[in-house]
Amino acid sequence: MMAALRHLYRTVAGALTVHKSRGSEFGTVIPVLPNPCRLLSRELLYRALTRQKDRVVILHQGPRTELRRYSSADR
């Protein structure tokens, strides 16, 4: 985890919005999910998670159980 944060620190200038990352791939993706996050949807989270090639680190403010609401349509 610390290696991912050090890498993030070195590449902050390369940060993109999820919308602008469409069609791109990155070695490590670190989505930052504040609470509340009114714009977050299941589709937007899917796009963020599928941009990574090697690793994803989710920085979420709040309990992990809150992320379950984005897991599937039938939950």
Side-chain angles (χ1 to χ4, degrees), residues 7-40:
H7 178 71
L8 172 66
Y9 180 75
R10 282 181 267 156
T11 59
V12 168
L16 295 172
T17 63
V18 172
H19 180 73
K20 287 186 177 185
S21 71
R22 187 174 186 171
S24 300
E25 287 186 331
F26 305 93
T28 302
V29 172
I30 305 174
V32 179
L33 309 175
N35 188 12
C37 188
R38 293 177 185 91
L39 298 176
L40 185 63

Side-chain angles (χ1 to χ4, degrees), residues 1-68:
M1 173 97 169
M2 290 306 293
L5 292 176
R6 280 194 296 272
H7 178 71
L8 172 66
Y9 180 75
R10 282 181 267 156
T11 59
V12 168
L16 295 172
T17 63
V18 172
H19 180 73
K20 287 186 177 185
S21 71
R22 187 174 186 171
S24 300
E25 287 186 331
F26 305 93
T28 302
V29 172
I30 305 174
V32 179
L33 309 175
N35 188 12
C37 188
R38 293 177 185 91
L39 298 176
L40 185 63
S41 67
R42 184 172 179 223
E43 295 78 16
L44 198 63
L45 186 57
Y46 172 82
R47 184 178 295 167
L49 297 177
T50 58
R51 300 302 102 195
Q52 62 86 25
K53 290 190 269 185
D54 302 318
R55 175 187 327 189
V56 63
V57 178
I58 300 172
L59 299 180
H60 177 256
Q61 183 182 26
R64 282 185 291 192
T65 55
E66 288 182 6
L67 293 175
R68 286 190 180 156

